[in-house]
Amino acid sequence: MAQAMFEGDDRSTPARIRDAALACFAERGVKATTVRQIAERAGVSAALVIHHFGSKERLRSACDRRVAALIRERKTAVMRSGSGLDPLAVLRDQAGDPPIQRYLARTLAEGTPEVAALVDEMVDDAARYVSEGMERGVLRRSDDPRGVAAVLTLWSLGAMVLHEHVERVLGVDLTGPAETHATNPAYVRPALEILSHGLVMPHWFDAIATASGAGDDTHSGSGSSASEEDT
Amino acid sequence: MAQAMFEGDDRSTPARIRDAALACFAERGVKATTVRQIAERAGVSAALVIHHFGSKERLRSACDRRVAALIRERKTAVMRSGSGLDPLAVLRDQAGDPPIQRYLARTLAEGTPEVAALVDEMVDDAARYVSEGMERGVLRRSDDPRGVAAVLTLWSLGAMVLHEHVERVLGVDLTGPAETHATNPAYVRPALEILSHGLVMPHWFDAIATASGAGDDTHSGSGSSASEEDT
DNA sequence: ACGGCGGGTAAACGCGCGTTCAATACTATA
DNA sequence: TATAGTATTGAACGCGCGTTTACCCGCCGT
């Protein structure tokens, strides 16, 4: 009874239940959400939730597919508009309701096949966009454009999963609406700095790369000490 | 009875229980782990687990503190050895047992105060190391060294949380022992490339930065369209 | 010898979960 | 109007959870 059906709610009952589940999963996580909570939010009985979806697990799967569908739908528009480098751009401006970003932040680490497929698609899209950017001279060339795209995508999604820490450390809520963080320098500025100018000085890069064996695909063990690499 | 006590196990019973819980939490997650599973793994009864720790939640808190302690202990050694730029370096080489990395990967997104404090410390350490690197001319200068360090740390930890996706996409297990991935080019190479050479060409960086408002701390709204920025 | 005490346990308790069931309200077709 | 079928429900079921209880046993000080 917490959120009874509005008169003008034209969604079907299964759709309303699914959206209620989506919101609950996003707020509390899947395991911490009970079927009764979902039912209450959708303004129906717990029995009806099971009647329409068979089980909580299948409802969760329906939510996964719903999120994937919404993102795919939005993706074409975003890529057409030209900012395909940023996987988070696809997630932004989803009008916050249903809360897709928080749902993904909760689900990305849980390893469902639907989400895995979605991540794979994001990497593919990013790879396409990175390659294109390199050909057009916007991005620096690389031997491994797909690797670059993958790392880029995973870093972005990782930051989204850790949004709580990002907010505490930098004061930026990555799961909020775009305008609250897309122009917020606290996160964007350092990220842009790193991605454009780079961080390590070129001279030192060579030393690090050869020492860690990453500068040579057919590297020898190099028997190095504790000196490590990457971020 | 799955893993009864060895004769030569000199750990106290509470310590054995805590380590068993650590392993279970790392493998299955906290909510999915039952007190009885922990008890069985430690070779004791479920009642004894509660007797020693009061509740499952306080046992979990003890695990958090244990992990934090192990990392802090290792930290000084790693920083002394000179590779403080990489927060993952601190997590590596923990001898895999107990599985600290997987525990953190599970816990980083769950928002306990102990882990939050640990992340804050990692950011502080990275900030110190980044500033030092800039002064020594190893790293490129920045107006916001702490922001750079924070983004770096969060990207690394995010990749660790998404280790499952990293492994599927790039074939690198970030939660495994160091030698399996520290020299694996699939992840390290693109990451190093981005961090050293940068990605976006300098000429384009200015355009992006001003368009997104990140190039100016006292920026005007710029009323931009869908064109976004960052990773 | 013995009493108490701390480590340890088996059994049970109560709760809340996902799910099932039998019955009711509603709607459309014949 | 009768009938079939679907949407929806309250109540209950069974299970497994975290936790509690009552009890046991071996050791140590006296």
Side-chain angles (χ1 to χ4, degrees):
Chain A
M1 238 172 233
Q3 180 182 326
M5 180 174 172
F6 296 121
E7 264 192 35
D9 193 340
D10 56 347
R11 290 174 299 176
S12 69
T13 302
R16 267 186 298 125
I17 292 174
R18 183 208 52 207
D19 289 349
L22 206 48
C24 286
F25 291 159
E27 285 176 15
R28 272 166 284 221
V30 175
K31 290 216 74 150
T33 297
T34 73
V35 171
R36 286 166 174 82
Q37 285 169 349
I38 298 169
E40 190 187 10
R41 191 167 194 140
V44 298
S45 68
L48 193 61
V49 173
I50 299 297
H51 173 246
H52 277 302
F53 290 91
S55 70
K56 185 188 177 184
E57 180 52 37
R58 304 215 310 178
L59 171 54
R60 175 237 174 79
S61 169
C63 289
D64 276 2
R65 289 195 302 276
R66 170 64 166 170
V67 167
L70 285 174
I71 289 178
R72 289 187 185 109
E73 181 183 324
R74 183 119 186 83
K75 183 173 62 182
T76 66
V78 168
M79 297 206 79
R80 214 180 301 274
S81 84
S83 69
L85 223 199
D86 180 7
L88 294 191
V90 182
L91 306 179
R92 282 198 274 267
D93 300 322
Q94 298 277 5
D97 200 55
I100 297 182
Q101 283 143 285
R102 284 203 129 89
Y103 181 87
L104 262 188
R106 290 246 183 228
T107 316
L108 269 168
E110 289 184 13
T112 74
E114 290 89 347
V115 174
L118 192 61
V119 170
D120 289 348
E121 284 179 42
M122 287 181 175
V123 170
D124 288 341
D125 294 334
R128 220 173 297 127
Y129 207 84
V130 163
S131 295
E132 192 183 319
M134 289 178 180
E135 285 167 13
R136 292 199 357 237
V138 180
L139 303 183
R140 207 179 293 269
R141 286 210 163 274
S142 166
D143 289 343
D144 185 7
R146 188 190 166 79
V148 169
V151 167
L152 230 43
T153 306
L154 291 166
W155 279 351
S156 280
L157 294 178
M160 163 137 288
V161 173
L162 299 183
H163 67 90
E164 190 182 303
H165 299 283
V166 174
E167 176 151 31
R168 193 189 57 254
V169 172
L170 294 176
V172 183
D173 177 17
L174 292 181
T175 68
E179 57 274 17
T180 64
H181 71 266
T183 63
N184 190 323
Y187 174 75
V188 170
R189 192 83 202 285
L192 254 185
E193 250 182 56
I194 296 171
L195 293 185
S196 54
H197 306 317
L199 178 69
V200 183
M201 298 291 273
H203 166 254
W204 290 89
F205 166 72
D206 298 335
I208 297 173
T210 57
S212 71
D216 178 8
D217 283 8
T218 62
H219 71 283
S220 59
S222 95
S224 79
S225 59
S227 185
E228 294 295 345
E229 67 323 304
D230 77 282
T231 166
Chain B
M1 244 172 229
Q3 181 182 326
M5 179 179 174
F6 295 120
E7 262 191 36
D9 193 340
D10 55 347
R11 291 174 299 175
S12 70
T13 303
R16 268 186 298 125
I17 293 174
R18 188 234 304 125
D19 289 349
L22 207 47
C24 287
F25 291 160
E27 285 175 14
R28 274 165 279 221
V30 176
K31 289 219 75 151
T33 297
T34 73
V35 172
R36 286 175 232 274
Q37 286 170 348
I38 298 169
E40 190 186 12
R41 190 166 196 140
V44 299
S45 67
L48 193 61
V49 174
I50 299 297
H51 174 244
H52 277 303
F53 289 91
S55 71
K56 185 188 179 185
E57 180 52 35
R58 304 216 307 173
L59 171 55
R60 175 234 173 80
S61 169
C63 289
D64 277 2
R65 288 194 302 274
R66 169 66 167 169
V67 167
L70 284 175
I71 288 178
R72 289 185 186 111
E73 181 183 324
R74 183 120 185 82
K75 184 172 63 183
T76 66
V78 168
M79 296 207 79
R80 213 179 302 274
S81 84
S83 70
L85 222 198
D86 180 7
L88 293 191
V90 183
L91 306 180
R92 283 198 275 266
D93 301 321
Q94 299 277 4
D97 199 58
I100 297 182
Q101 284 143 284
R102 284 201 129 90
Y103 181 87
L104 262 186
R106 290 246 184 229
T107 318
L108 269 168
E110 289 184 11
T112 74
E114 290 91 349
V115 173
L118 192 61
V119 171
D120 289 347
E121 283 179 42
M122 288 182 174
V123 170
D124 288 342
D125 293 334
R128 221 172 299 129
Y129 207 85
V130 164
S131 295
E132 191 184 320
M134 289 177 178
E135 285 167 12
R136 292 199 357 237
V138 180
L139 303 183
R140 205 178 294 268
R141 287 212 161 272
S142 166
D143 289 343
D144 185 8
R146 188 190 166 79
V148 169
V151 167
L152 231 42
T153 305
L154 292 166
W155 278 351
S156 280
L157 294 178
M160 163 136 289
V161 173
L162 299 183
H163 67 93
E164 189 182 306
H165 299 283
V166 174
E167 175 150 33
R168 193 188 59 253
V169 172
L170 294 176
V172 183
D173 177 18
L174 292 182
T175 69
E179 57 274 17
T180 66
H181 70 266
T183 63
N184 189 324
Y187 173 76
V188 171
R189 191 84 201 285
L192 254 185
E193 252 183 56
I194 295 172
L195 293 186
S196 54
H197 306 317
L199 179 69
V200 184
M201 298 290 272
H203 167 253
W204 289 89
F205 166 72
D206 299 334
I208 297 173
T210 55
S212 70
D216 178 10
D217 284 7
T218 61
H219 70 285
S220 60
S222 94
S224 78
S225 58
S227 185
E228 296 294 347
E229 69 322 304
D230 81 285
T231 172

